[in-house]
Amino acid sequence: MTDHKLSPLLEPRSIAIVGASPREHSTGQSMLRTLKALGFGGGIYPVNPRYEQIEGLACHAGLEALPEAVDLAVLAVSNEKLEEQLGKAIKAGARAAAIFGSCVMPEAQEPRLANRLSAMAREAGLPICGGNSMGFCHYQARIHVNSYPFIERLPGGVAFLSQSGSVFAAVVNHNHRLGLNFAVSTGRELSTSTADYMDYALGLESTRAIGLFLEGVRDPEAFRHSLERAQAQDVPVVVLKVGRSEQAAQMAVSHTGALAGNDVAYGALFERYGVARVDTIDELVTTLLLLSHPRRVGPGAVATIHESGGERELVVDHAAEIGIPFAAIDEATTAKLAARLDYGLDPVNPLDAFGTGNDYGGIMRDCFQALLEDPATAIGMFFLDMLQDNLYSETCTQACLDAAARTSKPVVLATNSASLDHQRRAVEVTRAGVPVLDGTVAALRAVRHALDYRDHRLRPPIAMPAPASAAVSQRWKERLARGRVLSEAEGLALLADYDIPVLPYRLVYTLAEAKQAAASLGYPVVLKTAMPDIAHKSDLGGVKLNLRDEAAVEAAFLDLNERIGSHVLVTRFAPGGVELVLGLKLDPQFGPVILAGAGGTLVELMRDVQAALAPLDEAAALRMIDKLKVRRLLSGLRGAPPSDIAALARALVRLSALAVDLGDHLAEIDINPLLVKPQGCAALDALVVPAKGA
């Protein structure tokens, strides 16, 4: 048994099964049979007052009648009996419990059953697997505790944790290529969170990757700590996070009680710690297969070999969408390919290597080996629609295995269809050291994740931005503590104090002051209403642009004063440039999140936003900028001069410094637009909302 707080749960030396039964296919019976079949060496104690013996084992009337205090009490009883039995387990000295039931009853009592069970377990310091769980399979320890039997499989290096029982079953039951050391259906996580299981997994020497199916995170601080630990130990984490849409987020609450959280914040968290975020179960499995492989992706790009010209084009199309770079092979490699290929086939990467069919296995092997030996190749993909018990497929598969054996670079065999009949052979090839990844898109995405993980590992730690002075920090903390939304002038002053560029401005209250401010700033100017509690000025006609003389200023001021009020902000008119939106939101789970996206009138139309956790340095800011769809505009289109990307990056870094300093005092900041010009950038407007109770 390992020395971990979850060891009594996941590696118990004795197990009591409350609700054990001789009834065929019952949970209580299948648990007993599974433990005996796996050769469990500790005490197994059926508990049910109605029987004297079950499956050849003495049956006990209750937990209090057991000859020892067990490590794990499995409560295979109805929801109505859970509270009573959990109390008895705690009183009898059980060190852990497993609950399969939903923990939901039609009751008016508050707190509800799940909350009462959670409180009992936390007070007793009792780890619980579940409820609403299918249990766990610890393949390394050969212990299965499940609501129905799962087949045994060879242990491997992937720890899989799922808040969905069906996803747990799909991964555990149906893909034997994926080597698991243990898998848990975490369910409601009454007292044991996903972060706790991750911590346990990271203590196992066998863990090479962690896969997660998440609806939400119940312990954000511990979860973040586990991601930090995984990063430090070079253990990739692959996450399928659901609840992106409002409807799915509401369903998550009713399903497991998990709050889905702000999806933008989750994306920022995953980006910070190099987590591979996937969209489907197929992509989850293929990515885990590749990232758990002992060979890591090195410098360079991707080399692929194909048996079909048409399927090569299919792969290239999808690769362009996913962002897969193909290795630029050198002249020596080109010559090797040309010498081996049939007439009419081009010696290029990606390579179509099937011609006349003469010595196709040897040609595939030698050409793939040449591609793998090229210094520009980081990983090789052998595309083959592999079939079971098929001579052609077997010959090509062996060619792939032979080439893989002659390199230290990672190699995968990828199919273009996930529906092929090849499972037995796919398991054999994967165990021989070449992961078989099914489906064009899933396979390419897995490789993209491997390249991203490599790149993340090469990044230096985030450099902390320089803080503002203590006096500046204290002044704004005191202002934010008043709780009222900052005026635009105050918002711009806040940005300026943290070295975020703003255009010069004047706050005026009379026509004479407006004229004087315009003359001082220089024409053309902009007049904007500065009346309090107006978040969207344009919707009220509260912004007057490109005022080129005193008469225009007078007309604009009189209109604003009559319709909205006398508080007016005057600033220089700044034509041209690219409008972006920068933002800061305080996420209740993960802290300040920095946002950047297409701004101005494009903000709602394009929905082009990137997010990152504070703090940022310039390298991290540039990565955010490079991922924006509007990035092409910033580079200069159709003869337009390029925007000052460096200035934009500095503004993001300074906004992150503000977030680190004042984050707990802020609910959000909205800088829209931030105008980025060929020389410099400037905030044209700012909405600053203090946090409640700041």
Side-chain angles (χ1 to χ4, degrees):
M1 177 184 284
T2 57
D3 183 19
H4 191 275
K5 66 179 181 179
L6 297 190
S7 297
L9 173 63
L10 300 174
E11 304 173 54
R13 293 166 297 189
S14 54
I15 302 175
I17 302 171
V18 182
S21 169
R23 182 168 52 86
E24 286 293 324
H25 307 303
S26 66
T27 297
Q29 184 200 59
S30 68
M31 273 283 308
L32 289 170
R33 289 183 174 177
T34 299
L35 290 171
K36 291 173 68 176
L38 291 172
F40 180 70
I44 304 175
Y45 302 107
V47 176
N48 194 322
R50 293 186 291 175
Y51 305 101
E52 293 185 359
Q53 189 180 78
I54 301 176
E55 295 291 321
L57 297 170
C59 193
H60 303 267
L63 287 164
E64 69 281 357
L66 298 183
E68 64 173 319
V70 295
D71 278 345
L72 176 60
V74 179
L75 307 184
V77 297
S78 65
N79 286 328
E80 290 76 11
K81 296 179 180 179
L82 280 174
E83 193 168 6
E84 175 190 7
Q85 293 301 325
L86 181 60
K88 289 183 176 181
I90 293 170
K91 187 175 181 180
R95 299 176 64 200
I99 296 176
F100 305 131
S102 67
C103 307
V104 176
M105 294 195 304
E107 56 180 341
Q109 180 181 351
E110 291 290 347
R112 296 301 178 102
L113 176 60
N115 294 331
R116 299 197 301 272
L117 296 173
S118 178
M120 292 169 64
R122 292 182 187 281
E123 183 179 354
L126 187 82
I128 294 178
C129 179
N132 197 28
S133 161
M134 288 190 174
F136 65 87
C137 297
H138 200 317
Y139 299 100
Q140 185 171 306
R142 291 181 60 80
I143 300 172
H144 290 197
V145 174
N146 304 110
S147 54
Y148 69 86
F150 289 89
I151 54 180
E152 178 65 348
R153 56 195 291 163
L154 291 176
V158 175
F160 179 62
L161 314 173
S162 174
Q163 291 176 341
S164 162
S166 293
V167 174
F168 168 83
V171 172
V172 166
N173 256 353
H174 302 301
N175 199 311
H176 287 258
R177 278 171 267 173
L178 191 62
L180 300 170
N181 56 5
F182 80 102
V184 184
S185 168
T186 67
R188 285 189 170 272
E189 301 183 5
L190 294 173
S191 66
T192 309
S193 68
T194 295
D196 293 326
Y197 292 114
M198 291 176 68
D199 188 70
Y200 173 84
L202 291 166
L204 298 178
E205 290 186 8
S206 59
T207 301
R208 294 199 301 270
I210 297 175
L212 306 175
F213 181 91
L214 286 182
E215 292 176 299
V217 170
R218 288 175 174 80
D219 190 342
E221 184 177 351
F223 184 70
R224 189 165 179 166
H225 175 75
S226 292
L227 293 181
E228 289 175 353
R229 185 179 174 191
Q231 181 176 250
Q233 294 181 201
D234 191 16
V235 175
V237 178
V238 184
V239 176
L240 176 50
K241 169 69 175 71
V242 295
R244 297 187 185 192
S245 67
E246 183 177 346
Q247 183 177 8
Q250 292 171 351
M251 290 176 174
V253 175
S254 63
H255 180 219
T256 63
L259 293 174
N262 185 308
D263 193 69
V264 171
Y266 273 98
L269 178 76
F270 298 154
E271 164 66 21
R272 172 56 55 91
Y273 293 106
V275 174
R277 183 171 189 173
V278 299
D279 294 327
T280 66
I281 295 173
D282 287 340
E283 187 184 348
L284 174 72
V285 171
T286 55
T287 304
L288 284 169
L289 278 167
L290 179 52
L291 290 182
S292 63
H293 195 277
R295 296 184 186 180
R296 287 280 193 252
V297 176
V302 181
T304 67
I305 189 169
H306 306 259
E307 55 169 336
S308 160
E311 288 188 343
R312 176 178 63 168
E313 294 165 24
L314 174 69
V315 168
V316 170
D317 283 344
H318 283 296
E321 294 176 0
I322 294 168
I324 296 290
F326 290 106
I329 58 176
D330 60 22
E331 292 182 1
T333 302
T334 302
K336 291 177 186 177
L337 297 178
R340 201 68 178 89
L341 289 168
D342 285 340
Y343 177 78
L345 296 176
D346 294 326
V348 296
N349 176 45
L351 177 67
D352 173 15
F354 190 88
T356 63
N358 180 46
D359 190 23
Y360 61 88
I363 292 173
M364 289 279 191
R365 178 197 62 228
D366 296 344
C367 289
F368 194 39
Q369 182 178 339
L371 289 171
L372 291 170
E373 289 173 349
D374 191 277
T377 296
I379 181 172
M381 301 183 73
F382 194 111
F383 277 88
L384 173 69
D385 293 328
M386 184 173 64
L387 297 173
Q388 196 83 12
D389 301 322
N390 177 278
L391 178 60
Y392 172 79
S393 287
E394 181 57 36
T395 302
C396 292
T397 299
Q398 192 58 51
C400 176
L401 289 170
D402 290 345
R406 297 169 185 169
T407 182
S408 60
K409 297 176 182 178
V411 173
V412 300
L413 191 154
T415 72
N416 287 304
S417 172
S419 61
L420 297 168
D421 180 16
H422 61 213
Q423 290 306 314
R424 186 179 74 250
R425 185 57 175 145
V427 170
E428 294 170 353
V429 173
T430 299
R431 290 179 181 169
V434 176
V436 177
L437 312 183
D438 280 333
T440 307
V441 172
L444 289 171
R445 288 193 182 278
V447 170
R448 180 65 263 177
H449 290 307
L451 296 172
D452 290 340
Y453 185 76
R454 172 200 65 189
D455 295 343
H456 181 82
R457 297 288 302 169
L458 294 174
R459 294 176 192 166
I462 295 287
M464 285 292 292
S469 70
V472 166
S473 174
Q474 184 60 32
R475 183 171 73 250
W476 285 109
K477 286 177 181 177
E478 290 174 359
R479 168 59 186 90
L480 293 166
R482 299 177 203 164
R484 180 172 49 83
V485 174
L486 273 63
S487 68
E488 181 181 352
E490 288 179 304
L492 292 173
L494 169 63
L495 300 184
D497 275 351
Y498 280 85
D499 297 325
I500 299 168
V502 300
L503 289 179
Y505 64 90
R506 302 284 189 276
L507 186 60
V508 302
Y509 303 94
T510 68
L511 176 58
E513 290 175 343
K515 291 179 178 179
Q516 183 180 5
S520 174
L521 293 169
Y523 289 100
V525 295
V526 175
L527 266 62
K528 297 186 282 186
T529 180
M531 294 299 292
D533 302 322
I534 298 177
H536 301 289
K537 305 173 187 67
S538 297
D539 294 348
L540 299 177
V543 180
K544 305 290 186 178
L545 300 173
N546 197 16
L547 307 176
R548 308 190 68 84
D549 53 37
E550 185 175 287
V553 167
E554 179 174 347
F557 181 87
L558 292 174
D559 177 64
L560 292 174
N561 180 55
E562 180 180 350
R563 291 188 302 105
I564 304 174
S566 62
H567 297 196
V568 173
L569 188 138
V570 185
T571 186
R572 284 291 308 270
F573 178 59
V578 178
E579 291 186 350
L580 297 185
V581 57
L582 302 191
L584 181 161
K585 290 189 182 296
L586 182 64
D587 183 76
Q589 291 187 302
F590 304 118
V593 178
I594 305 301
L595 306 166
T601 57
L602 296 176
V603 66
E604 294 294 334
L605 179 65
M606 293 186 66
R607 296 190 179 277
D608 176 23
V609 176
Q610 291 296 318
L613 295 183
L616 298 175
D617 57 17
E618 289 199 24
L622 288 169
R623 286 193 296 272
M624 285 182 71
I625 296 165
D626 286 343
K627 292 178 182 178
L628 291 170
K629 298 174 187 175
V630 78
R631 179 65 174 83
R632 292 181 62 202
L633 275 177
L634 293 167
S635 298
L637 284 179
R638 298 183 178 179
S643 300
D644 192 340
I645 302 295
L648 172 58
R650 288 193 295 272
L652 279 166
V653 172
R654 295 313 304 157
L655 183 59
S656 82
L658 188 159
V660 170
D661 194 15
L662 304 177
D664 291 341
H665 295 74
L666 287 163
E668 64 178 285
I669 292 179
D670 185 28
I671 304 171
N672 187 19
L674 180 99
L675 188 67
V676 188
K677 305 195 77 172
Q679 295 289 329
C681 65
L684 305 189
D685 200 349
L687 173 65
V688 180
V689 181
K692 292 182 180 179

